[in-house]
């Protein structure tokens, strides 16, 4: 999802609506963006935290298992190797990195993230998974996971503020009766 400009318009709208729904659950766009900025400013990468936890001003994100640095490195390599036509993180069985990739996906596949707010007044929180496992040969990254831990905040701002000019023009002509 870091390559937001490559998505079809309908996919952009779907992703925007999903992010806006998550933002509403934690207090709005500003709270959501502050959470993402906290993640981006955490060093070393928050996923390799020993306690599987990241605190942000209005709450925390926790996940169900530790992520090792080598798995994060393999994941980053596979993310960079994806294309628009083939978003699959898996490699072919003939590839020399097949065993490392399959072990990384088996290790990280069950990762679940829970966003918990300090006060109910701040929002309800939500959960999301790291990957969408389609079959034994196809695993794609959950766009929410990618946005949270790998995309720059300015890309997320573009997603949250996206408007489809074609759809907006149709709605305007319907409202005016043209």
């Amino acid at each position: 999802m870091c390559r937001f400009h490559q998505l079809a318009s309908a996919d952009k709208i779907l992703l925007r609506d999903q992010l806006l729904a998550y933002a509403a659950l934690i207090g709005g766009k500003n709270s959501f963006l502050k959470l993402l900025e906290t993640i981006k400013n955490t060093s070393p990468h928050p996923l390799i935290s020993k306690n599987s936890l990241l605190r942000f001003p209005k709450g925390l994100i926790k996940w169900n298992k530790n992520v090792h640095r080598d798995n994060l490195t393999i994941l980053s390599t596979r993310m960079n190797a994806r294309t628009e036509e083939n978003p699959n993180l898996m490699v072919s069985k003939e590839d020399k990195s097949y065993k490392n990739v399959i072990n990384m996906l088996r290790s990280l596949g069950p990762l679940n993230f829970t966003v918990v707010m300090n006060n109910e007044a701040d929002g309800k929180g939500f959960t999301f998974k790291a990957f969408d496992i389609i079959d034994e040969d196809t695993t794609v990254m959950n766009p929410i996971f990618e946005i949270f831990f790998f995309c720059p905040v300015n890309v997320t701002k573009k997603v949250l503020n996206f408007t489809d000019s074609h759809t907006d023009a149709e709605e305007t002509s319907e409202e005016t009766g043209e």
Side-chain angles (χ1 to χ4, degrees), residues 12-33 36 126 144 147-148 156-163:
K12 289 179 180 180
I13 292 169
L14 186 65
L15 182 60
R16 178 203 59 200
D17 292 347
Q18 190 176 16
L19 283 182
L20 287 172
Y22 284 140
L25 291 172
I26 62 170
K29 279 185 190 180
N30 286 338
S31 295
F32 188 76
L33 291 171
L36 295 180
F126 56 90
I144 302 304
I147 285 171
F148 264 74
T156 307
K157 286 180 184 177
K158 288 179 184 176
V159 174
L160 288 170
N161 296 322
F162 175 74
T163 57

Side-chain angles (χ1 to χ4, degrees), residues 16-17 39 43 55 76-77 87 97 105 109 114 146 161 167 170:
R16 178 203 59 200
D17 292 347
I39 291 169
S43 182
R55 295 189 186 283
S76 180
T77 302
S97 65
L105 290 173
T114 305
E146 187 173 352
N161 296 322
T167 305
E170 288 177 5

Side-chain angles (χ1 to χ4, degrees), residues 70-132:
D70 59 337
N71 282 337
L72 189 60
T73 302
I74 294 168
L75 176 60
S76 180
T77 302
R78 289 305 309 145
M79 285 176 56
N80 291 333
R82 295 177 304 171
T83 63
E84 185 178 346
E85 299 81 31
N86 184 13
N88 191 5
L89 293 171
M90 282 294 296
V91 294
S92 68
K93 292 183 180 183
E94 295 80 31
D95 193 299
K96 64 181 180 179
S97 65
Y98 176 78
K99 187 174 181 179
N100 290 336
V101 172
I102 196 82
N103 287 338
M104 178 269 300
L105 290 173
R106 282 184 183 148
S107 175
L108 301 182
L111 264 178
N112 286 312
F113 296 86
T114 305
V115 178
V116 180
M117 305 308 290
N118 292 334
N119 303 318
E120 274 192 41
D122 291 334
K124 297 179 182 181
F126 56 90
T127 62
F128 61 93
K129 294 181 72 65
F131 302 110
D132 297 326

Side-chain angles (χ1 to χ4, degrees), residues 45 78 98 134 138 159 166:
H45 198 284
R78 289 305 309 145
Y98 176 78
I134 298 169
T138 311
V159 174
H166 186 270

Side-chain angles (χ1 to χ4, degrees), residues 141-156:
M141 186 172 292
N142 181 334
I144 302 304
F145 173 67
E146 187 173 352
I147 285 171
F148 264 74
F149 293 102
F150 299 102
C151 292
V153 175
N154 66 344
V155 171
T156 307

